[in-house]
Amino acid sequence: MTQKRTFFTATAIALAMSLPAFADTPQSGGTLNLIIQPEPPSLMLGLVQNGPTQMVAGDIYESLLRYDVNLDPQPSLAKEWDVSEDGLTYTFTLHDDVKWHDGEDFTSEDVVFSVDVFLRETHPRLRASLVHVESIEAPDENTVVFTLKQPFGPFLGIFEAGTMPMIPKHIYEGTDFANNEMNNTPIGTGPFKFEEWVRGSYIHLVKNEDYYIEGKPYLDEVYYQVVPDGASRAVAYETGQVDVLPGGSIENFDVPRITAMDNTCVTDQGWEFFGPHSWMWMNNHEGPMTDVNTRKAVMHSLDREFALEALWNNLGKLATGPVSSSTRFYDGDTPSIGYDPELAKQYLADSDYDGETIRLLPLPYGETWQRWAEATRQNLIETGFDVELVATDVAGWNQRVGEWDFDLAFTYLYQYGDPALGVSRTYVESNIAKGSPWNNVAGYVNPEVDALWQQAAVSASDAERQELYSQIQDIIVDDVPVAWLLELGFPTIYRCNVKDLVTTGIGINDGLRDAWIEQ
Amino acid sequence: MLEGFKRFTSNKGAAIGLFILLIVILTAVLGPLIYSDSPWRMVQRPFLPPFTVDGLPLGTDALGRDVMAGLVHGARVSLLVGLVSTVVALVIGVPIGAAAGYFGGLVDDALMRFTEFFQTIPSFALAIVLLAIFQPSLFYVILAIAVVSWPPVARLVRGEVLSLRSREYVEAATLSGQSTFQIITRQILPNALPPIIVLASLMVATAILLESSLSFLGLGDPNVMSWGYMIGTARTVIRTAWWLSFIPGVAILLTVLAMNLIGEGLNDALNPRLSRKSR
Amino acid sequence: MIRFILARLVKAAVILLAIMIFNFLLIHAAPGDPAAVMAGEAGATDEKFIADLRARFGLDQPFAVQLWTYVKATVQLDLGYSYRQSMPVIDLIWQRLPATILLTMTAFVIALVLGVIAGVLAASKQGTWWDTVISTLALLFYATPLFWVALMASLLFSVVLGWLPGYGYQTIGANYTGIDRVLDIGKHLILPATTLGLFFMAVYMRMTRASMLEMSRLDFVKTARAKGLSNGVIQRRHVLRNALLPVITLAGLQAGQIVGGAVLTETVFAWPGIGRLLFEAINQRDYSVLLGVFFVSAAMVLLFNLITDILYVLVDPRIRLG
């Protein structure tokens, strides 16, 4: 019976996903209700870049480029761009009729201010990329020139709203950015304007009538509704109160039931840019996981196929190593890290593990992750480990992971399309530092690989980069510094009459500029 | 006391309560011997409904774990949490209440302000904060429940001691040269016992409920299978597998009900002046 | 009377201050701080980012200085600023408080009114099947986990039957005004308030019943009966009035518990009140908000206690003001 059900589930999702996009003429008008989970702390994208903030603020703020599902750059505020032969000069030409929501003109001065002044001060991830930049100049109102110190392969990949949102110079120049009153009424150039935020209830955006693309956006109003309980979020969709459940809105266990509803479509597109990649940190600094055989024993103990099927509705893929298959320069031809209890026991026997209790930290992001940790603990116990789950909330998790106070810890990170942007940061020795849960927390040290990362980032040739990244992937997979789990698949669930909801590799976080409702 | 016991067993509600509680205790003690496997083992396909597969009378949960095994092991944990946290609450509350009631004056004032202080902080919120600080484990869950549930004990004991300390036999003991500690523990407290027992039986019930609420918010110990944990995990699948929250919910309901019935029965039996005429 | 109230107010203020300091110490003992949480959420961080955040939250100050700053501000009734949400704490609380007061007061009234009526009914029909049915029902509500009832109720009335909205405070985007708005909020209020109210109803019912029964055995009731007063008059004039005293005390004590229960109800029903604000603030280590919510709820409890004390004096003429 269950077998049949699982089959039905998989088919339903597959069917829903294969629905062709109708090439109809977009219709203007209507209100779109979406779930936002959890409630963002702020909508000022230049100051706060967490997931929910990006999702809502992606309608308000824009950057120079967007990326399609293959991660090729598309025009946004820049209509054209040009990269010099030597890979050192990037020239962007801006649309010339863009206005801020308060009516001021958007110019190249705003770009220079945003990147060189504001974001350099506030945005740690962009700051890491800006070390390659020699200068940012605005030769005229509509042109911006970035000059690099040396070639930086992934440079064209950092011009997206979450990484480089455009901030209005006329509002922020010379002020205390973090405490500027305007942070609560964000002003951007995006297709929707901020209207009202009733904390704990909803965020209301309205159409930007002066948007620079004629006829867009199509929607009149957008509500992001805050519903704190997963079951209630599912009810909100079922009762018609919301039309869109962005990835992660409802618990995975509810996905098959909701996607089986009438007039319900689902897509797993719109996450290619992020390439959410999950793994377990293994503490390479101290404790049992310092032994590579113990780590291999852990790796081969994990029944990831079960997790994919029972916990993730078969959305997503088994990870084969550090790089996600949607990220550039992925190489799947690496040593096998599959489920093999016998092999795991062998590695355990060869290791110097002597029965100490392994502290496993689940990711405190809801029930799916909790169940996953429980299943993992059981997998490990069956290999012969003694495992204890350590319960934490988000703050406690950050603290423990950042202070290396664990043996195993679940996590997932975004890859931002390029290994140099989102992968190397968790494996290079220079990124070992207490206090952050997002650097080389495991404490993996391999000077040979460090050199390869270095070389690959500053290479101007894609062929050479592929060669180097393939080598890196091969070596790292054999070292198993962490236990790779899944390339996560986050389904976006929506009413089928909502069209063009996800049009880029950034998904809903890229704004609802193209979305429309079929009447 | 014997008379009290007779009154207790002749109370229909109390008898039912005692019967249910005995079953729960038996399950808690003997069940894990029968279901000796860990309740965390994934034994079958996930979400098997009850009565569909032999050997899995209550079906399986989201990870294919045996719900019956969970229920049996959960009985042990829920009872343990209920009992131990009540004992800890008594250990905190009784001395404070006794000292306040016996010594009066400044001591009373200070201790009662202290008690009031804990009663003024919303107790559930305090429990949440405590678990956020210490990180949930069985030990801290019990401690957090005890910390928020002792004030009523202190107040009750204080009231009883206050009314008992001027009794003749206490004065006699004072005159015969017994120490204050002896007077409180040997003369006063035994006589204050009946209402304390009644309150304690109700506190066990409340503690079980509190543990389940904390688990529901994800603040339970993830290494032990409790009923609250089972509901907490089942709530996300309540629409597709309602029995997963229904079954442990009924288990909690019955146990808490039993404790309450027993509490009422004890109240009638031990405080005869309040007993219902008709029964 | 005024002296009595003033004395109680001073006492309440002292307790409140003690609670605030206790909470401050408590929450700062928790692992992780707001800067770490925000850095964690950002998905990337470096030393400068963390240091900037710490400075913004005032966490770079010595602990004693932080405590002193906090106490000084609290004494002046300044609840501080939430740097996480870029808003004064008082504004954040003010946005949420009306919803919680509406929810808890409605639940409280439901609990009190239903509880007292059911208790009086059960006591006056003592020993009959009325008594049994009412007592059993009350006990059932009391023995059932609150969140479980909430889930089941939302499932039944919202999803299966479609009678009532299953979550939220108002129909978002409807922009009702006037009476429509009141009706809309009222409709949203029914499920959470009833769920919360039924749980506490049981307590009042049992208290009223027990207290009524105890009273009817007391001498003055016997005297009244001997004087030939009718049973109804005795019940109303003598028994109920006196039986309500412990109920009032309990109500004062329970105010705090209702705020706690609101955390669960507000979570299940997505009710935008301070119970949820509190839970979120704990998870985010948003110290100033957390302390602010504690302050407000403790103040509410103390206010409640004061009101019950005054009621006590009014209901029971035997108590002298001291």
Side-chain angles (χ1 to χ4, degrees):
Chain A
M1 166 136 181
T2 313
Q3 200 162 10
K4 210 161 108 195
R5 190 174 118 145
T6 313
F7 171 75
F8 170 75
T9 299
T11 323
I13 293 177
L15 269 178
M17 281 193 172
S18 62
L19 285 175
F22 294 97
D24 292 338
T25 337
Q27 293 163 299
S28 283
T31 300
L32 193 64
N33 287 283
L34 302 92
I35 285 288
I36 185 72
Q37 162 60 24
E39 184 165 25
S42 161
L43 296 181
M44 178 41 195
L45 192 52
L47 292 173
V48 181
Q49 292 94 30
N50 70 13
T53 298
Q54 266 187 59
M55 185 169 298
V56 180
D59 290 315
I60 301 169
Y61 294 98
E62 292 180 307
S63 188
L64 302 185
L65 302 175
R66 321 163 88 194
Y67 303 95
D68 66 13
V69 292
N70 302 316
L71 303 183
D72 290 327
Q74 303 293 317
S76 183
L77 286 173
K79 56 183 176 188
E80 286 156 21
W81 56 97
D82 179 65
V83 186
S84 67
E85 279 297 296
D86 58 6
L88 288 176
T89 311
Y90 288 71
T91 309
F92 293 85
T93 311
L94 308 177
H95 282 281
D96 46 13
D97 43 5
V98 180
K99 288 198 183 336
W100 293 104
H101 291 162
D102 59 4
E104 298 280 326
D105 283 330
F106 165 79
T107 69
S108 54
E109 283 299 318
D110 288 305
V111 181
V112 175
F113 171 78
S114 300
V115 184
D116 220 13
V117 182
F118 193 105
L119 299 172
R120 194 187 279 285
E121 173 69 24
T122 60
H123 197 316
R125 185 156 51 78
L126 183 65
R127 195 151 52 214
S129 294
L130 288 183
V131 299
H132 302 279
V133 176
E134 175 77 38
S135 71
I136 307 165
E137 278 152 2
D140 67 57
E141 273 215 344
N142 292 322
T143 311
V144 184
V145 181
F146 289 77
T147 311
L148 306 192
K149 294 170 186 159
Q150 74 263 354
F152 182 50
F155 194 66
L156 213 47
I158 66 170
F159 292 87
E160 155 269 350
T163 316
M164 196 191 281
M166 287 302 122
I167 313 292
K169 181 180 179 184
H170 65 280
I171 291 176
Y172 284 95
E173 190 174 36
T175 67
D176 174 5
F177 303 151
N179 293 320
N180 193 309
E181 293 254 311
M182 292 300 286
N183 292 342
N184 285 326
T185 49
I187 298 287
T189 60
F192 294 91
K193 293 183 178 186
F194 174 80
E195 173 75 15
E196 186 192 19
W197 181 358
V198 179
R199 288 189 193 241
S201 286
Y202 61 86
I203 299 165
H204 180 194
L205 308 180
V206 294
K207 178 176 186 166
N208 176 4
E209 299 285 355
D210 300 322
Y211 195 58
Y212 68 95
I213 301 175
E214 196 54 39
K216 286 190 182 182
Y218 304 110
L219 301 169
D220 289 336
E221 291 180 279
V222 176
Y223 285 91
Y224 285 94
Q225 301 199 20
V226 180
V227 183
D229 178 65
S232 303
R233 289 192 286 275
V235 171
Y237 183 83
E238 285 175 282
T239 52
Q241 291 249 33
V242 302
D243 310 307
V244 179
L245 296 169
S249 294
I250 55 173
E251 291 289 348
N252 284 346
F253 300 107
D254 251 350
V255 168
R257 191 172 59 82
I258 297 292
T259 48
M261 286 175 61
D262 283 347
N263 188 29
T264 296
C265 290
V266 56
T267 176
D268 63 353
Q269 288 193 339
W271 288 88
E272 293 78 4
F273 178 76
F274 301 102
H277 206 66
S278 61
W279 64 81
M280 268 198 302
W281 292 118
M282 301 206 257
N283 192 335
N284 292 218
H285 301 280
E286 56 178 6
M289 297 301 148
T290 46
D291 179 3
V292 68
N293 282 327
T294 319
R295 297 204 297 272
K296 284 189 172 167
V298 170
M299 185 72 248
H300 291 291
S301 299
L302 307 177
D303 188 354
R304 298 180 291 152
E305 263 156 47
F306 173 80
L308 183 62
E309 189 192 318
L311 297 170
W312 292 93
N313 300 306
N314 281 320
L315 296 175
K317 289 179 193 164
L318 301 191
T320 59
V323 181
S324 161
S325 61
S326 75
T327 303
R328 299 172 74 200
F329 310 116
Y330 164 77
D331 188 338
D333 193 20
T334 45
S336 160
I337 52 171
Y339 175 49
D340 189 340
E342 287 317 307
L343 189 61
K345 280 177 191 151
Q346 244 172 56
Y347 276 121
L348 189 63
D350 293 342
S351 75
D352 46 20
Y353 174 74
D354 58 1
E356 55 264 64
T357 302
I358 308 277
R359 295 162 303 157
L360 170 59
L361 248 63
L363 195 58
Y365 287 0
E367 295 297 314
T368 301
W369 293 94
Q370 192 62 39
R371 294 296 87 70
W372 200 355
E374 288 162 14
T376 299
R377 172 181 58 190
Q378 211 52 39
N379 284 160
L380 293 173
I381 284 174
E382 266 149 41
T383 300
F385 286 102
D386 181 34
V387 187
E388 175 192 86
L389 291 189
V390 180
T392 59
D393 57 7
V394 176
W397 184 89
N398 283 322
Q399 169 96 357
R400 275 176 178 268
V401 172
E403 297 297 316
W404 312 337
D405 184 11
F406 63 91
D407 295 310
L408 299 171
F410 276 82
T411 194
Y412 79 91
L413 265 78
Y414 292 161
Q415 305 212 322
Y416 303 107
D418 194 293
L421 295 177
V423 183
S424 63
R425 58 178 173 156
T426 53
Y427 298 100
V428 296
E429 190 179 354
S430 58
N431 240 0
I432 299 179
K434 280 196 178 180
S436 163
W438 310 130
N439 56 21
N440 185 354
V441 169
Y444 174 58
V445 180
N446 188 333
E448 184 196 350
V449 182
D450 280 3
L452 291 170
W453 283 120
Q454 184 71 28
Q455 215 181 328
V458 299
S459 163
S461 142
D462 278 359
E464 192 188 321
R465 292 187 77 199
Q466 179 67 62
E467 170 66 25
L468 293 165
Y469 283 125
S470 291
Q471 272 186 54
I472 291 174
Q473 290 173 62
D474 231 28
I475 303 172
I476 291 188
V477 170
D478 196 49
D479 282 346
V480 274
V482 305
W484 298 283
L485 299 169
L486 298 176
E487 296 175 9
L488 302 177
F490 291 122
T492 302
I493 300 168
Y494 57 100
R495 312 257 180 238
C496 292
N497 59 331
V498 179
K499 306 291 183 190
D500 295 333
L501 184 65
V502 171
T503 51
T504 69
I506 308 165
I508 295 183
N509 284 2
D510 213 9
L512 299 164
R513 152 184 139 169
D514 304 320
W516 56 283
I517 299 172
E518 193 175 49
Q519 312 289 329
Chain B
M1 210 61 186
L2 190 70
E3 196 195 338
F5 183 72
K6 267 189 206 148
R7 261 202 304 270
F8 177 74
T9 44
S10 63
N11 178 332
K12 249 185 296 171
I16 295 173
L18 199 59
F19 178 70
I20 299 175
L21 186 68
L22 276 179
I23 294 179
V24 178
I25 291 175
L26 273 180
T27 314
V29 175
L30 299 178
L33 301 178
I34 301 164
Y35 285 87
S36 55
D37 260 359
S38 159
W40 300 100
R41 275 200 59 198
M42 300 168 282
V43 292
Q44 252 286 2
R45 299 193 138 273
F47 297 122
L48 290 178
F51 312 116
T52 48
V53 176
D54 282 346
L56 295 168
L58 296 181
T60 58
D61 74 357
L63 287 180
R65 299 179 294 214
D66 184 352
V67 175
M68 188 66 197
L71 204 62
V72 163
H73 285 260
R76 192 173 266 199
V77 176
S78 293
L79 278 188
L80 187 81
V81 170
L83 289 174
V84 178
S85 59
T86 301
V87 169
V88 178
L90 291 176
V91 167
I92 306 172
V94 171
I96 290 180
Y102 188 83
F103 296 111
L106 266 183
V107 177
D108 182 22
D109 235 26
L111 288 175
M112 278 304 106
R113 285 302 86 74
F114 184 65
T115 311
E116 236 169 79
F117 171 91
F118 272 92
Q119 275 187 312
T120 309
I121 309 175
S123 63
F124 192 63
L126 180 60
I128 294 176
V129 175
L130 285 174
L131 287 176
I133 293 170
F134 295 120
Q135 312 287 326
S137 68
L138 200 54
F139 179 80
Y140 286 115
V141 169
I142 289 173
L143 193 72
I145 294 176
V147 164
V148 301
S149 40
W150 66 266
V153 180
R155 284 180 166 265
L156 178 81
V157 172
R158 173 180 173 270
E160 290 294 319
V161 171
L162 210 55
S163 74
L164 289 172
R165 99 179 146 176
S166 50
R167 296 280 167 88
E168 284 150 22
Y169 59 84
V170 176
E171 277 169 20
T174 319
L175 289 177
S176 74
Q178 288 190 22
S179 74
T180 312
F181 182 74
Q182 279 174 327
I183 294 171
I184 293 179
T185 52
R186 298 214 183 132
Q187 308 294 338
I188 298 183
L189 282 183
N191 287 295
L193 214 50
I196 299 178
I197 292 176
V198 173
L199 183 64
S201 69
L202 298 177
M203 280 167 63
V204 173
T206 314
I208 293 175
L209 280 182
L210 201 52
E211 192 273 337
S212 72
S213 300
L214 290 169
S215 285
F216 176 76
L217 290 177
L219 293 169
D221 184 337
N223 295 296
V224 295
M225 182 77 80
S226 78
W227 292 337
Y229 163 86
M230 290 173 80
I231 301 185
T233 61
R235 84 184 151 126
T236 49
V237 293
I238 195 164
R239 304 287 302 284
T240 38
W242 56 270
W243 62 88
L244 289 180
S245 19
F246 183 77
I247 293 169
V250 169
I252 294 181
L253 172 71
L254 286 177
T255 312
V256 173
L257 194 66
M259 289 310 304
N260 275 292
L261 288 171
I262 291 171
E264 267 181 16
L266 284 172
N267 192 35
D268 291 355
L270 299 173
N271 303 338
R273 65 199 164 94
L274 294 184
S275 70
R276 304 172 191 181
K277 272 185 247 164
S278 60
R279 288 191 186 164
Chain C
M1 190 71 177
I2 289 176
R3 256 189 61 202
F4 166 76
I5 293 177
L6 274 180
R8 291 305 308 256
L9 277 178
V10 170
K11 215 174 90 181
V14 172
I15 288 192
L16 201 53
L17 186 65
I19 287 179
M20 296 326 291
I21 294 174
F22 173 75
N23 284 336
F24 185 88
L25 299 176
L26 200 60
I27 191 61
H28 281 80
D33 62 31
V37 174
M38 293 195 73
E41 288 170 344
T45 173
D46 51 22
E47 267 169 42
K48 175 175 161 49
F49 187 62
I50 293 269
D52 285 356
L53 278 174
R54 289 243 155 82
R56 246 205 281 168
F57 285 98
L59 298 167
D60 51 347
Q61 310 271 334
F63 185 73
V65 175
Q66 292 182 44
L67 178 60
W68 174 239
T69 315
Y70 169 72
V71 170
K72 218 166 58 183
T74 307
V75 169
Q76 298 164 1
L77 293 180
D78 171 9
L79 296 185
Y81 189 82
S82 164
Y83 288 99
R84 182 186 166 85
Q85 312 214 28
S86 312
M87 262 192 161
V89 172
I90 192 75
D91 290 356
L92 280 169
I93 292 179
W94 202 238
Q95 280 189 355
R96 304 290 191 96
L97 196 58
T100 294
I101 290 183
L102 183 64
L103 172 64
T104 49
M105 284 303 139
T106 315
F108 189 67
V109 169
I110 291 176
L112 200 59
V113 171
L114 285 184
V116 169
I117 291 177
V120 169
L121 203 60
S124 61
K125 312 262 183 191
Q126 189 201 1
T128 67
W129 66 269
W130 271 100
D131 185 12
T132 314
V133 168
I134 293 174
S135 298
T136 312
L137 268 183
L139 204 51
L140 273 178
F141 279 119
Y142 187 64
T144 319
L146 179 60
F147 57 88
W148 193 71
V149 178
L151 280 177
M152 294 294 169
S154 134
L155 191 63
L156 180 64
F157 293 104
S158 175
V159 179
V160 178
L161 299 173
W163 292 349
L164 294 167
Y167 76 96
Y169 175 73
Q170 53 188 332
T171 309
I172 292 165
N175 293 323
Y176 291 122
T177 48
I179 188 75
D180 286 336
R181 182 169 161 77
V182 174
L183 285 178
D184 185 47
I185 294 177
K187 242 168 52 185
H188 283 81
L189 182 63
I190 295 175
L191 278 182
T194 317
T195 317
L196 189 58
L198 282 180
F199 180 75
F200 289 98
M201 180 206 80
V203 186
Y204 295 112
M205 179 264 149
R206 296 168 72 190
M207 189 62 133
T208 311
R209 180 183 176 282
S211 180
M212 289 278 288
L213 291 180
E214 187 172 3
M215 284 301 153
S216 12
R217 273 188 293 276
L218 293 185
D219 289 344
F220 72 96
V221 176
K222 287 184 185 148
T223 318
R225 212 166 263 143
K227 278 197 321 208
L229 288 175
S230 83
N231 202 37
V233 174
I234 296 174
Q235 291 284 340
R236 245 173 291 130
R237 208 179 282 167
H238 296 278
V239 179
L240 183 58
R241 189 178 165 124
N242 284 293
L244 280 185
L245 284 176
V247 175
I248 290 172
T249 315
L250 184 72
L253 285 175
Q254 290 254 304
Q257 313 309 313
I258 291 196
V259 174
V263 176
L264 288 169
T265 323
E266 288 178 3
T267 303
V268 176
F269 290 108
W271 192 261
I274 57 168
R276 249 178 65 204
L277 186 65
L278 173 90
F279 189 56
E280 285 158 12
I282 291 172
N283 282 327
Q284 295 155 352
R285 302 288 187 274
D286 198 345
Y287 295 151
S288 48
V289 173
L290 184 63
L291 291 166
V293 175
F294 265 120
F295 180 84
V296 170
S297 47
M300 267 168 55
V301 175
L302 288 169
L303 184 70
F304 245 76
N305 289 347
L306 183 65
I307 293 174
T308 51
D309 283 350
I310 295 171
L311 276 180
Y312 226 96
V313 174
L314 293 179
V315 175
D316 188 350
R318 283 172 305 180
I319 294 182
R320 290 272 163 79
L321 300 176

